[in-house]
Amino acid sequence: MTSHVMPAHSDSHSSADNYLTASKGFLSWALTLDHKRIGLMYLIGTMTAMFIGGFLALLLRAEHLSGAPGFVNHDTYNQLFTLHGAIMVFLFIIPSIPGALGNFILPVMLGAKDVAFPRMNLCSFYLWVFGAIFFVGALLTTGLDTGWTFYTPYSTNTSQTNVVLATLGAFILGFSSIFTGLNFIVTIHTMRPPGMTWFRMPLFLWSLYATAIIQVLATPVLGITLLLLAAERMFGLGIFDPKLGGDPVLYQHFFWFYSHPAVYIMILPGMGIISELISTFSRKAIFGYRFIAFSSMAIALLGFLVWGHHMFASGQSEMITIVFSALTFSVSIPSAIKVFNWLATMYKGSIVLATPMCYALSFLFLFTIGGLTGLFLGALATDIHLHDTYFVVAHFHYVMMGGTLVAFVGGLFYWWPKMTGKMYNEFWGQISALIVFVAFNLTFFPQFVMGSRGMPRRYYNYLPEFQVYHVLSTIGAFLLGFGLLLAAVVLIVSLFKGRKAPANPWGAATLEWQCSSPPPLANFEKTPTVGNPYDMQSVVWDPDTESFVRRGDVPIVPDETEQPAHA
Amino acid sequence: METFRNLLDPFPSQQSTFAANVDAIYYFIFWLSTFFFVIIVAMMCYFVVKYRRVEGQEPEKSPSHNTPLEVTWSVVPGILVLGIFWWGFTGYVDMRSPPAETYDINVTAQMWSWQFKYGTGAVDAELHVPVGTPVRLIMQSKDVIHSLFVPVFRVKQDVVPGRYSGLWFEAKEVGKFELFCTEYCGQKHSDMITKVVVHATDEANVTDEVPQTFDKWLEVASDPLEGGRIPLEQAGEKVIGMFGCLQCHSIDGSNKVGPSFKGHFGQQVQTRDGSVLMDENYIRESILEPNAKIRQGYDPKMPSFKGSMKDEWIDAVIAYIKSIQ
């Protein structure tokens, strides 16, 4: 394994130059190899996808204000929920944290100049863009009404919509994800500067590493499955359609073999962000560093063994069903470990409810509900009743939206000063966190009750007894949209009115706070000092610069014999 | 207050023999989760208040890990989830192990209706079962994947084309309950709803809601023509109800998934390849070979009823269609 040596400080840039101002013009962005600019472009792209996906969700919820046909018909409704799911999963949740925050932060946090393969990194962004265009193409031509899961044989022999175009889009997006994962694995293995041992890596990097492994190992299966699906639809090959001698349940196995690990592509980086936020805003070393790091790896590996729990009612063999149920419960343990360790980190801390911490605490609340409601679905007897009802819809929104999205927004508020060099309005940031939290529960909690009472998912019409829950949920959804919009406004306003961000506004000890905000083109003016990433007491508040600075600003020479961070 | 309690009550009533066990597992997980959730949130809130930041004051030193503690909170949840798994697993085995003696009903799912067939030849779009009798459903799909779900029974099973899937339950009380399709199956997935009608097995226990015993219902359903004692068009109306035709065809002239039964008989109608006279032969052909001549403006979505609709029932349907013109 080679250690990456930091480039010598270049005098050609003045200290005022940063990655944003280093070069100008459209091409300097379109052809950039700088991970920070690519991260920023990913951010703009995935945020656009999120607001489109969210808008579709609001249309769905508005339709459900009454059980009678409203402003959309059956077909439009089916296309709306399909596009909402497909856009949110493939264009937002999977690429958002690794693509936007990961790309920006990973090399800086690691103390490296860039990712291992900058060109591949740019390529992965363009694959995302082209994949997105294919998806939007499917939307604008004949729509897509298969659900984001593309279940066969409906998708291959019945749906009249543009399944092939959409699967091609997902296929291309898969490569984008593989490239990002590959890049992160190689970067972490080969580009750690002297002193950055595995157990000095911040937990966000551990989580991105675990995520990258899943991206590289699982995504090819989705690619091949979607190609088989397109081949069956175009050439009538009998793979999944029983009329042609295929097996529709085989498709579900293939699909979930990717898509269940993909759930961890979505949530693991979010967990990594939370580890950073809770530690920083409690001014305390993360509790049980090694347990959290290993639990990320455990989740990544166990995540490959539980896909069958999406198919308890599918007619797969009963023996297999029982084995999958048992394995499913094993994943709950590393998740529980993380929650307890985060709590223990706050114990005897010095806690400040800055905006990112508000989102982190909101995550803790919502993710715990998301995780615990998974127990109802992992247990066979109860899953049979709850499967394919709104209970499942509520459960995965608590995990993916209450978990991943809230962590993402928290992380965005946390690293925003680093990315843009601007501080945002703290008060309105906190208000946005509060609105998102309350509105989220109002939207999705009624769905647990509704699902338990038997309301099936993906239903355009519903029975009158469910209306009260649907109305509550719709009100919540609109409030939630408002909360997220407010968060976006707070951030955008900061670009114009925010005061200049210091290098280290929060007092974190990880390396990205050692460079200026925004970082210079090569990330560090001088080689950063690698130490314990959670030694918060190594930085102190300096009222003169309104920033945290290294205590005494004496560089500590990294000591290879020193105990790792958890000791 | 009562309304509020009803709103939060997570379950529809328990109408099958294993519903109570499913609910017991649900409540066990619910209270266990609530217990942990309250502890986690209470600790979180307490820490936020108790250890809030005081400017210029660093937190006192506290350990950054504690292996025995961490092993404890890995192992204890591990044991608890093992218990949940075990209970869920045994409950599932009960659901999947029908008794030796069951009353069997064949189920055909198709976009977007259900067809339940009985040993006597009876067919219906609603599921009729005797109370207190183990019933087994042998299910198949004619097109895409569907899923049969009866919330009050707590049962659900996907119906996958190309193979039979099975399901059993024993209904506890006489009544009418909802039956849903829960696997997305295209345009009218949310309309693929029907009823389970649980009949009494003796006259003493019939109710106003379900006034017939199961045997009586079966006798009538097996012979919608009632041995020729009722007019043919009236029998045809019953057959149309039994087969769920009105899911896709209207009787008032309006267009649904398929063309209306009203207003076309005896006329030349447009098909994809030309036109055809809508007469007795065309109706018969459309029931047995629906895709032979597809009407202009409609998709080839209708399944064939060859083998399940008897010849004299087809005669009755034709008579009914003629009668409503």
Side-chain angles (χ1 to χ4, degrees):
Chain A
M1 195 186 298
T2 58
S3 287
H4 181 73
V5 180
M6 288 303 300
H9 171 55
S10 158
D11 285 329
S12 60
H13 293 293
S14 74
S15 62
D17 250 355
N18 60 52
Y19 80 101
L20 292 169
T21 55
S23 54
K24 284 194 163 48
F26 174 75
L27 284 183
S28 81
W29 283 85
L31 299 177
T32 185
L33 298 180
D34 179 21
H35 69 97
K36 297 183 288 301
R37 286 192 169 190
I38 295 170
L40 218 54
M41 293 194 293
Y42 253 120
L43 179 67
I44 294 167
T46 52
M47 284 289 92
T48 311
M50 189 205 83
F51 277 102
I52 294 172
F55 176 70
L56 296 171
L58 292 185
L59 291 181
L60 289 172
R61 289 304 334 157
E63 170 61 33
H64 280 322
L65 271 175
S66 106
F71 61 92
V72 298
N73 58 26
H74 278 98
D75 290 324
T76 315
Y77 178 84
N78 294 341
Q79 293 178 19
L80 281 175
F81 79 67
T82 299
L83 286 158
H84 164 70
I87 287 178
M88 285 302 202
V89 169
F90 293 118
L91 295 183
F92 170 63
I93 310 182
I94 286 179
S96 65
I97 298 184
L101 295 179
N103 254 325
F104 195 101
I105 295 301
L106 179 134
V108 199
M109 221 178 194
L110 199 63
K113 190 185 169 190
D114 206 317
V115 290
F117 307 119
R119 278 187 180 79
M120 196 190 207
N121 198 17
L122 183 66
C123 179
S124 104
F125 173 70
Y126 281 116
L127 285 174
W128 182 89
V129 172
F130 289 128
I133 289 171
F134 267 89
F135 250 131
V136 177
L139 160 68
L140 293 181
T141 52
T142 55
L144 176 71
D145 70 346
T146 60
W148 77 277
T149 46
F150 301 110
Y151 266 20
T152 56
Y154 182 75
S155 60
T156 55
N157 70 18
T158 308
S159 175
Q160 308 288 317
T161 60
N162 218 329
V163 177
V164 171
L165 198 63
T167 50
L168 225 56
F171 181 78
I172 297 169
L173 289 165
F175 274 94
S176 162
S177 187
I178 292 170
F179 283 9
T180 302
L182 202 59
N183 228 332
F184 286 1
I185 291 176
V186 177
T187 307
I188 287 176
H189 270 278
T190 63
M191 295 180 73
R192 283 173 290 124
M196 179 60 86
T197 59
W198 281 89
F199 289 106
R200 273 197 188 145
M201 283 201 323
L203 289 166
F204 182 49
L205 298 187
W206 271 102
S207 74
L208 284 175
Y209 182 74
T211 307
I213 290 175
I214 310 176
Q215 286 177 301
V216 170
L217 292 183
T219 319
V221 179
L222 177 76
I224 292 161
T225 308
L226 293 178
L227 278 192
L228 289 176
L229 192 154
E232 175 164 303
R233 198 174 157 94
M234 288 190 296
F235 311 122
L237 295 182
I239 300 158
F240 306 125
D241 184 353
K243 286 200 183 91
L244 305 168
D247 181 356
V249 179
L250 176 68
Y251 172 82
Q252 297 180 21
H253 279 289
F254 281 174
F255 181 81
W256 290 114
F257 185 83
Y258 164 74
S259 293
H260 194 78
V263 170
Y264 298 108
I265 296 179
M266 305 172 199
I267 190 67
L268 271 172
M271 292 170 156
I273 291 177
I274 298 305
S275 297
E276 303 300 327
L277 300 189
I278 291 194
S279 169
T280 297
F281 293 99
S282 302
R283 273 193 80 64
K284 258 196 63 188
I286 191 85
F287 187 89
Y289 173 94
R290 278 188 185 229
F291 264 72
I292 298 186
F294 287 138
S295 70
S296 288
M297 298 306 290
I299 288 174
L301 299 178
L302 292 173
F304 275 100
L305 305 177
V306 302
W307 79 88
H309 71 212
H310 295 268
M311 300 159 60
F312 286 164
S314 73
Q316 69 182 358
S317 105
E318 278 143 23
M319 191 62 213
I320 289 283
T321 298
I322 292 161
V323 171
F324 274 123
S325 169
L327 288 170
T328 296
F329 282 106
S330 69
V331 189
S332 63
I333 297 162
S335 308
I337 291 174
K338 282 180 192 280
V339 170
F340 290 130
N341 276 306
W342 289 326
L343 271 183
T345 304
M346 292 166 65
Y347 174 68
K348 289 194 174 175
S350 166
I351 299 168
V352 60
L353 291 180
T355 305
M357 185 62 167
C358 292
Y359 278 100
L361 295 179
S362 173
F363 171 96
L364 213 54
F365 186 101
L366 301 174
F367 176 74
T368 302
I369 293 182
L372 289 171
T373 50
L375 299 176
F376 295 81
L377 299 170
L380 288 171
T382 40
D383 178 75
I384 295 298
H385 176 65
L386 299 170
H387 178 76
D388 266 334
T389 67
Y390 265 74
F391 191 96
V392 177
V393 176
H395 161 71
F396 73 69
H397 278 90
Y398 264 87
V399 175
M400 289 185 192
M401 196 176 183
T404 308
L405 178 79
V406 166
F408 174 78
V409 177
L412 190 58
F413 272 100
Y414 181 61
W415 283 301
W416 187 259
K418 183 58 64 187
M419 298 171 90
T420 65
K422 298 288 187 178
M423 298 301 289
Y424 48 83
N425 184 306
E426 193 58 55
F427 173 76
W428 286 107
Q430 289 161 326
I431 294 289
S432 77
L434 184 69
I435 295 175
V436 167
F437 174 74
V438 173
F440 181 89
N441 285 297
L442 182 58
T443 310
F444 292 106
F445 202 83
Q447 297 187 2
F448 281 125
V449 187
M450 182 156 52
S452 301
R453 295 176 76 109
M455 168 82 207
R457 64 190 286 206
R458 296 177 166 178
Y459 258 34
Y460 168 67
N461 293 318
Y462 58 83
L463 301 178
E465 64 190 270
F466 297 114
Q467 188 172 16
V468 56
Y469 307 105
H470 277 296
V471 170
L472 287 175
S473 187
T474 301
I475 296 170
F478 276 86
L479 262 178
L480 185 53
F482 172 75
L484 289 171
L485 209 58
L486 178 65
V489 168
V490 170
L491 290 176
I492 290 167
V493 165
S494 79
L495 292 178
F496 304 102
K497 296 198 163 169
R499 72 182 161 84
K500 197 179 165 339
N504 190 354
W506 315 122
T510 44
L511 295 186
E512 78 273 27
W513 305 105
Q514 284 191 27
C515 65
S516 51
S517 302
L521 190 60
N523 293 349
F524 296 97
E525 300 275 326
K526 55 177 190 245
T527 310
T529 317
V530 181
N532 178 342
Y534 297 108
D535 183 10
M536 304 301 161
Q537 277 62 48
S538 70
V539 291
V540 287
W541 179 249
D542 173 22
D544 293 343
T545 56
E546 294 206 334
S547 170
F548 281 88
V549 294
R550 296 180 62 74
R551 193 182 287 275
D553 211 15
V554 188
I556 302 152
V557 180
D559 181 1
E560 294 293 343
T561 61
E562 199 182 294
Q563 282 292 302
H566 79 289
Chain B
M1 197 60 209
E2 188 59 19
T3 344
F4 184 67
R5 211 194 64 81
N6 280 342
L7 279 183
L8 290 178
D9 187 7
F11 278 122
S13 63
Q14 301 171 346
Q15 297 293 350
S16 73
T17 45
F18 34 59
N21 190 39
V22 171
D23 294 6
I25 304 172
Y26 183 100
Y27 281 112
F28 173 70
I29 303 173
F30 177 79
W31 288 115
L32 193 72
S33 302
T34 307
F35 173 76
F36 278 102
F37 180 70
V38 167
I39 289 184
I40 288 167
V41 172
M43 277 171 60
M44 181 177 104
C45 296
Y46 177 72
F47 292 166
V48 166
V49 176
K50 167 87 177 171
Y51 303 115
R52 67 188 176 278
R53 184 165 300 180
V54 178
E55 283 311 328
Q57 196 177 315
E58 287 297 329
E60 56 175 300
K61 282 251 177 290
S62 55
S64 68
H65 78 139
N66 180 331
T67 307
L69 187 63
E70 290 176 75
V71 169
T72 307
W73 68 44
S74 313
V75 171
V76 171
I79 293 169
L80 289 172
V81 295
L82 208 64
I84 295 175
F85 159 72
W86 190 257
W87 200 354
F89 150 63
T90 53
Y92 174 76
V93 169
D94 290 345
M95 283 179 175
R96 287 291 181 268
S97 315
E101 290 289 308
T102 52
Y103 183 83
D104 292 356
I105 300 170
N106 280 293
V107 182
T108 304
Q110 61 202 29
M111 293 187 282
W112 294 278
S113 64
W114 299 96
Q115 209 182 77
F116 302 94
K117 292 186 215 168
Y118 298 77
T120 60
V123 176
D124 205 278
E126 292 182 342
L127 174 58
H128 294 261
V129 297
V131 72
T133 313
V135 170
R136 200 158 69 100
L137 304 183
I138 300 149
M139 308 188 287
Q140 57 181 315
S141 166
K142 285 200 173 170
D143 36 52
V144 301
I145 302 177
H146 302 277
S147 190
L148 186 139
F149 175 37
V150 183
V152 292
F153 293 167
R154 315 284 189 271
V155 294
K156 182 179 291 135
Q157 175 63 49
D158 285 7
V159 187
V160 181
R163 62 168 81 161
Y164 290 115
S165 10
L167 178 68
W168 87 276
F169 57 83
E170 182 182 327
K172 281 168 64 182
E173 284 172 47
V174 174
K176 283 189 177 183
F177 311 102
E178 308 293 342
L179 185 154
F180 298 109
C181 173
T182 49
E183 184 65 65
Y184 173 68
C185 57
Q187 190 191 33
K188 300 223 167 160
H189 169 53
S190 69
D191 298 345
M192 197 167 158
I193 303 178
T194 186
K195 297 270 183 200
V196 183
V197 185
V198 180
H199 290 269
T201 45
D202 51 50
E203 287 295 342
N205 292 318
V206 297
T207 61
D208 289 344
E209 196 185 14
V210 189
Q212 284 172 310
T213 63
F214 182 72
D215 291 339
K216 175 74 186 149
W217 170 82
L218 191 62
E219 190 190 319
V220 175
S222 308
D223 180 18
L225 278 59
E226 295 187 26
R229 288 186 300 277
I230 57 169
L232 202 55
E233 53 267 22
Q234 196 183 328
E237 191 175 3
K238 283 166 71 180
V239 173
I240 282 169
M242 282 163 51
F243 283 84
C245 306
L246 300 181
Q247 201 79 352
C248 299
H249 301 279
S250 78
I251 50 169
D252 60 4
S254 62
N255 293 332
K256 294 171 87 175
V257 175
S260 178
F261 287 148
K262 186 181 169 69
H264 300 294
F265 191 85
Q267 293 176 9
Q268 201 73 19
V269 291
Q270 294 296 312
T271 66
R272 287 189 168 186
D273 309 316
S275 69
V276 64
L277 178 68
M278 176 155 157
D279 58 3
E280 288 85 349
N281 277 319
Y282 181 61
I283 296 176
R284 183 182 165 80
E285 183 186 64
S286 298
I287 292 170
L288 301 178
E289 302 283 351
N291 294 339
K293 298 192 187 80
I294 295 159
R295 290 274 294 274
Q296 190 104 55
Y298 296 94
D299 292 325
K301 285 185 174 167
M302 182 166 151
S304 165
F305 291 93
K306 193 185 272 180
S308 59
M309 199 182 282
K310 295 176 186 165
D311 282 351
E312 55 270 35
W313 298 0
I314 295 176
D315 297 343
V317 169
I318 293 170
Y320 172 71
I321 290 177
K322 282 156 98 171
S323 75
I324 59 166
Q325 296 304 310

